[in-house]
């Protein structure tokens, strides 16, 4: 039994109207909230061991 050939489907015609897209509006950069140790923490992490070393080296 031969199968019937499929009938061709009509293709959509190209539109004559130009395509327009909305203007691009980049989002403003938001500053990331600070999550982390403050600069005082770094100062103390360096200063406290340094002061302990100086105190240990002082002549008695």
């Amino acid at each position: 039994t031969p199968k019937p050939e499929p009938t061709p489907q009509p293709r959509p015609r190209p539109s004559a109207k130009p395509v327009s897209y909305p203007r691009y509006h980049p989002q403003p950069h938001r500053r990331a909230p600070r999550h982390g140790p403050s600069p005082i923490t770094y100062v103390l992490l360096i200063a406290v061991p340094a002061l302990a070393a100086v105190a240990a080296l002082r002549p008695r």
Side-chain angles (χ1 to χ4, degrees), residues 18-59:
V19 178
S20 64
Y21 297 99
R23 288 184 58 89
Y24 175 69
H25 296 290
Q27 296 294 322
H29 292 284
R30 294 187 191 125
R31 288 190 57 144
R34 269 185 41 190
H35 295 293
S38 68
I40 296 171
T41 305
Y42 291 118
V43 170
L44 291 175
L45 281 172
I46 294 171
V48 170
L51 290 174
V54 169
L57 293 175
R58 263 184 40 205

